[in-house]
Amino acid sequence: MSGDSPDRSPLSLGAASGIGAYLLGVGLLVGVERAGLYPEAGQWDRAFGLPEFLLVHIATHLPIWQFTLQWELVAYTAVLTSLLVLSGVWVTERIRPAPADAFRVGAAVAVGYCPLTAVASGYVVAAHPAVTTTAMAAPTVLVGMVCPAIFGGIGGWATVRYRDDSGQ
């Protein structure tokens, strides 16, 4: 890769960016709910604790699993996707890789996002009696590894593509 240096590795920047995206996503969910912006959505209950927030956070990455369309959740899914794409952009801008490596560099966001998703899923299983390890396995893999790698990679690819198109 063309822009690598020891203090700017894609894995360390990807980890930092992934952790930031995860924490911003959960913080946004809690903040929006606490502000009362979803008063009649059915999913949002003032008695929500951390396990419920984490479960909703994981579920809203995968809107296809929802049986009813709630625009609040669609909007939140769009925000989470945007956070992942922007995280990929952030990593790629700092590394400045060759075009062939841009997707891989952006996908490094999964390095930080995956461990937090796994810890959150484990916490949800331990704290919420209705949730089983089996029920959380596939969402954990999809939300922790697949979504960040794809959307972070898209952010990395788009960054290099835009830079090449604009001559920067």
Side-chain angles (χ1 to χ4, degrees):
M1 291 189 307
S2 63
D4 274 346
S5 68
D7 61 329
R8 298 174 84 188
S9 82
L11 294 180
S12 64
L13 288 174
S17 184
I19 290 168
Y22 191 90
L23 294 176
L24 277 172
V26 171
L28 180 68
L29 174 67
V30 172
V32 164
E33 192 280 332
R34 293 292 183 215
L37 297 179
Y38 299 142
E40 63 267 351
Q43 291 260 2
W44 313 99
D45 180 5
R46 291 285 176 194
F48 261 19
L50 185 58
E52 290 81 11
F53 281 120
L54 293 174
L55 186 59
V56 170
H57 177 72
I58 291 168
T60 52
H61 283 76
L62 310 168
I64 195 165
W65 292 26
Q66 307 287 333
F67 293 111
T68 59
L69 185 63
Q70 294 185 11
W71 290 110
E72 298 89 357
L73 296 180
V74 172
Y76 187 66
T77 300
V79 169
L80 293 177
T81 301
S82 298
L83 282 173
L84 292 171
V85 170
L86 291 173
S87 293
V89 168
W90 185 82
V91 173
T92 306
E93 276 297 314
R94 270 126 198 94
I95 298 294
R96 315 245 343 139
D101 295 326
F103 190 91
R104 182 176 57 84
V105 169
V109 168
V111 173
Y113 212 84
C114 185
L116 290 180
T117 304
V119 168
S121 295
Y123 178 70
V124 168
V125 169
H128 202 290
V131 180
T132 65
T133 304
T134 307
M136 290 301 291
T140 300
V141 171
L142 289 171
V143 170
M145 292 181 357
V146 176
C147 288
I150 289 173
F151 293 117
I154 288 170
W157 171 83
T159 300
V160 170
R161 177 141 175 103
Y162 172 76
R163 187 172 50 221
D164 289 347
D165 288 348
S166 67
Q168 292 181 356

